[in-house]
Amino acid sequence: MKTILQGITFLFALTAISCSNKNIHHLEWRQTKSGITSIPKYYDNVAKTAYDITNDSLNLYLSIVVADENTRLQVMMSGIEVWIDTTKKASKNFGLLFPLKMQPGAGMKMERPNPDQPPKIDDMQKQYLTNQTQFKSIGLNGFKEGLNSTVNNLGLNLSLDFDSTGSFIYRAIIPLACLHIYSFDAVDSTDIFTITLIIPGMELPEIPGGGPEMGGPGGMPGGPPPGGMGGPGGPPDMAGTLEDKVIRFRFTLNKK
């Protein structure tokens, strides 16, 4: 009987390990830095967000595409948190917050030929992108804790854009050295990393046609389906609560 129980326990352990390993992705090797515009490989139906992550011997390459209208608004108002764990514990040991949460009252001033008309979506997008000049670092090697300029000489490259459909495009090149990985040879191909993407929740104000006045970024906040940015006058009327959107992705580096 004892032998049978031991055998059953062993089979359960093997099954658990097998199921766990199915959720661990082996990254693709990034051939060139210019390839970061490729369509993301993964899509999270709950977060309504497409994403991809690849690596080479020096960097992680992260791309995020948000086509869903409410999620785009949530990103623009609440920002994105990227947490990277290198200890197999899925803890938040390295954090990169960009874009930052917009601060209440820090209005985004826009020149409008006709003040009675709501701002055009293209103008809102351009002004939003212009405001994204800082990110928050938590534990990243080479950067001070807290706010830092997106312009740096350490190889960390952060960029935002909107495509022709209005989809929000996020790209980041994150040096492994920022994660305190100084030798690629020292990383084993079986070492498990975890990246957690968080779009913080928010209350949606009532938007009477023209959309909310967007605040300025700052402070210290803790393939995709098609879609546009809304009608030519601005986002549609909406109100309610958007919950945190969380994507947790476990992976091993490609050692080629």
Side-chain angles (χ1 to χ4, degrees):
M1 177 63 72
K2 183 177 180 181
T3 302
I4 294 175
L5 290 175
Q6 288 175 336
I8 293 175
T9 301
F10 179 71
L11 287 175
F12 271 119
L14 286 179
T15 301
I17 293 173
S18 175
C19 292
S20 175
N21 287 340
K22 288 181 180 179
N23 295 323
I24 300 174
H25 304 269
H26 187 60
L27 298 189
E28 293 185 5
W29 183 267
R30 174 67 68 187
Q31 298 296 334
T32 63
K33 290 185 179 181
S34 61
I36 60 176
T37 57
S38 58
I39 297 175
K41 182 178 180 180
Y42 305 99
Y43 184 75
D44 188 285
N45 288 311
V46 176
K48 297 181 179 179
T49 298
Y51 62 98
D52 199 8
I53 182 169
T54 57
N55 76 274
D56 59 20
S57 61
L58 296 176
N59 305 296
L60 292 178
Y61 300 83
L62 172 64
S63 61
I64 300 172
V65 177
V66 181
D68 177 72
E69 187 172 20
N70 279 358
T71 307
R72 272 201 311 272
L73 177 61
Q74 187 171 350
V75 167
M76 293 173 69
M77 300 298 289
S78 297
I80 296 177
E81 301 179 10
V82 177
W83 298 92
I84 302 175
D85 173 71
T86 61
T87 63
K88 305 180 185 180
K89 297 180 182 178
S91 59
K92 300 176 180 179
N93 58 346
F94 299 116
L96 170 62
L97 279 58
F98 178 80
L100 294 171
K101 179 179 180 180
M102 289 186 174
Q103 297 302 295
M108 189 171 74
K109 306 302 180 183
M110 299 182 63
E111 296 292 334
R112 285 184 280 173
N114 187 348
D116 296 329
Q117 294 295 322
K120 295 181 179 179
I121 289 298
D122 286 348
D123 293 336
M124 294 174 64
Q125 291 174 346
K126 290 176 182 177
Q127 186 64 55
Y128 172 80
L129 296 175
T130 300
N131 287 347
Q132 309 309 314
T133 60
Q134 291 183 311
F135 71 95
K136 182 183 176 184
S137 166
I138 300 94
L140 295 177
N141 181 46
F143 294 95
K144 66 181 182 180
E145 292 295 288
L147 295 179
N148 291 263
S149 171
T150 54
V151 178
N152 63 86
N153 60 1
L154 298 176
L156 178 65
N157 186 300
L158 302 171
S159 67
L160 303 175
D161 202 357
F162 293 92
D163 68 11
S164 59
T165 70
S167 293
F168 179 87
I169 311 294
Y170 170 111
R171 302 186 188 99
I173 300 176
I174 306 172
L176 295 176
C178 286
L179 308 178
H180 298 264
I181 298 174
Y182 307 108
S183 171
F184 190 63
D185 292 335
V187 180
D188 192 87
S189 60
T190 61
D191 289 344
I192 299 173
F193 295 73
T194 303
I195 187 167
T196 303
L197 309 177
I198 302 175
I199 304 173
M202 59 172 284
E203 292 292 329
L204 276 175
E206 291 191 13
I207 306 174
E213 181 181 49
M214 294 186 178
M220 301 288 184
M229 188 65 185
D237 295 348
M238 58 182 71
T241 301
L242 295 178
E243 302 294 335
D244 286 358
K245 291 180 170 60
V246 180
I247 299 172
R248 190 164 286 109
F249 184 80
R250 303 175 71 207
F251 62 92
T252 58
L253 294 179
N254 190 319
K255 297 284 289 186
K256 209 172 180 182

